[in-house]
Amino acid sequence: MPTSTSRAMSRPFVPGIVAGTAILALALAACGGASSSGTAGGATGSNGAAASVSNGAAQVAISVEKVDGEDQCVPNFSSAPAGPVTFTVSNKDSSGVSEVELLSDKRILGERENVIPGLKAVSFTVTLNGGSYQIYCPGAGTESKPFTVTGGATAGAASSITDQLKAGTEGYAKYVAGQVDSLVLAVADLKTSVDAGDVAASQKAYAAARPFFERIEPVAESFPDLDPVLDLRVADVEPGATWTGFHPLEKDLFESKAITEGTKVLAAGIVTNVGTLKTLTDELAAADGYKPEELANGASGLLEEIQSSKITGEEEAYSNLDLVDFVANIEGSQQAFEYLKPALTQIDHALTTQISTQFDTVNKALAAYVDPDALGGYKPYTAELKASEATALTQLIQSLQAPLAKIAEKVATV
């Protein structure tokens, strides 16, 4: 994955979306390829053949590759029947394309990052209703192409499992609401400290606010105009654009160690945009809510965030609070899993046990980095610590992500 911020900046501008309701974006989509009409019986490719169905989901494979000298995303099918669809993406040889997104009416329904040459194919499942979608592949020769879903999703018969999944998504919505409410209070405290010109207090408030955002980062990322104004890093700022959000504030507080009028403007902007995040998440919970596979995809996506920007030290380059964010991502991932766990235990008991055990292993390992005297309660992620620990941390997260990546299709096809 490039970084969450480069991904956010690469999206097309979506006017008005921050004022409306968006759907949680925690699934995969494909990009490019020749479009063809689908049928209710299965997805169709350029040759008219139907995609195979496995485990109750239509299967679509996407190859990210060079085509006539241009980077492209090439799906083997451009249409699928309504219902669960599993997209599997691999990067053959493209250096200019590292992510894919699925849009519907300018809302991000699905995305996958860190799609780079040399990595194994990744798969995610999303349940889609009939209609027209846009497949967006930033950096490709043709960035946006249509993807058609035919028919209507068929509701499964009510069962104890589906009831548990419904209860899980409703519980997760409350969890998100609680995290956002806490974030609202935390950034208000941050602004107060900044307005007072107190650098030390502002640093402490910054460290206290970040985990609330990081635990629900996939939800925030589903609002494409909001995520970059809150979480953009300097390397991803487009020429002429204004850098806003947490990280320029972090730079002032931890590198410059000075509060200017510009710093106060940044803090005020964070408060405003977090207020917008609360409005959007409240609207989402009241309207469409969350789907089980969105929780599953988000749980795995948070682990990608760790590997792409926390372990590398890119996320908190000025404060070295990467381990604080790292732990918050794990917490958010585990919460999403825990809300699905009662149903997952019935669906695949062995896999559920494996994931639970691996979460315990990860949490035990992270306890070694606790430092009650440090900002955020964890050791600063210095260059020395990164050099000595990055490989082990990567292996630790990969051992959790591998089984966790399997659950989206399972809950989507119940």
Side-chain angles (χ1 to χ4, degrees), residues 94-385:
S94 172
S95 59
V97 175
S98 60
E99 61 177 298
V100 292
E101 297 178 358
L102 178 64
L103 307 179
S104 174
D105 193 23
K106 299 181 180 178
R107 296 171 300 174
I108 302 170
L109 302 182
E111 64 178 331
R112 196 51 159 169
E113 305 173 18
N114 202 33
V115 183
I116 59 178
L119 294 186
K120 294 181 180 179
V122 291
S123 298
F124 284 87
T125 303
V126 59
T127 300
L128 301 174
N129 290 316
S132 298
Y133 298 80
Q134 302 81 47
I135 302 210
Y136 181 59
C137 207
T142 302
E143 290 191 328
S144 182
K145 289 188 176 182
F147 187 84
T148 303
V149 176
T150 59
T154 302
S159 69
S160 60
I161 294 178
T162 56
D163 289 344
Q164 287 171 338
L165 289 174
K166 184 175 184 295
T169 58
E170 291 173 348
Y172 182 74
K174 294 177 181 178
Y175 169 75
V176 170
Q179 293 298 307
V180 174
D181 286 345
S182 295
L183 180 61
V184 168
L185 295 175
V187 297
D189 182 54
L190 174 60
K191 181 179 182 298
T192 297
S193 297
V194 169
D195 287 344
D198 190 331
V199 173
S202 297
Q203 290 176 338
K204 184 177 180 180
Y206 176 89
R210 288 296 288 165
F212 299 116
F213 182 84
E214 291 293 327
R215 291 184 189 113
I216 60 164
E217 189 168 6
V219 181
E221 288 181 347
S222 70
F223 307 111
D225 288 345
L226 188 58
D227 178 55
V229 299
L230 276 171
D231 206 34
L232 196 66
R233 293 189 291 275
V234 67
D236 304 303
V237 179
E238 293 185 341
T242 301
W243 189 23
T244 65
F246 283 109
H247 295 301
L249 182 67
E250 176 201 5
K251 187 174 189 292
D252 285 357
L253 297 178
F254 291 90
E255 184 179 80
S256 303
K257 293 183 174 63
I259 293 174
T260 66
E261 288 304 312
T263 312
K264 295 177 182 179
V265 170
L266 288 169
I270 292 172
V271 169
T272 297
N273 287 315
V274 167
T276 301
L277 177 62
K278 175 172 172 54
T279 298
L280 292 175
T281 52
D282 286 349
E283 289 176 352
L284 175 57
D288 302 305
Y290 302 94
K291 295 178 181 177
E293 65 269 24
E294 291 172 337
L295 274 65
N297 291 335
S300 184
L302 281 165
L303 303 188
E304 281 191 356
E305 290 286 340
I306 293 171
Q307 294 184 76
S308 66
S309 60
K310 277 71 174 182
I311 288 177
T312 61
E314 297 173 21
E315 183 73 26
E316 304 285 358
Y318 310 105
S319 63
N320 297 135
L321 290 169
D322 301 274
L323 285 175
V324 175
D325 291 359
F326 187 126
V327 172
N329 284 162
I330 292 293
E331 291 173 352
S333 177
Q334 186 164 14
Q335 284 300 306
F337 168 72
E338 291 294 332
Y339 280 110
L340 296 173
K341 189 174 179 179
L344 281 169
T345 299
Q346 294 190 58
I347 297 169
D348 192 327
H349 185 274
L351 178 62
T352 305
T353 300
Q354 179 187 2
I355 294 170
S356 295
T357 300
Q358 193 57 37
F359 266 119
D360 290 342
T361 299
V362 169
N363 289 328
K364 182 178 179 180
L366 292 177
Y369 301 98
V370 170
D371 182 353
D373 297 325
L375 281 178
Y378 285 85
K379 295 178 180 179
Y381 196 60
T382 60
E384 293 76 16
L385 185 61

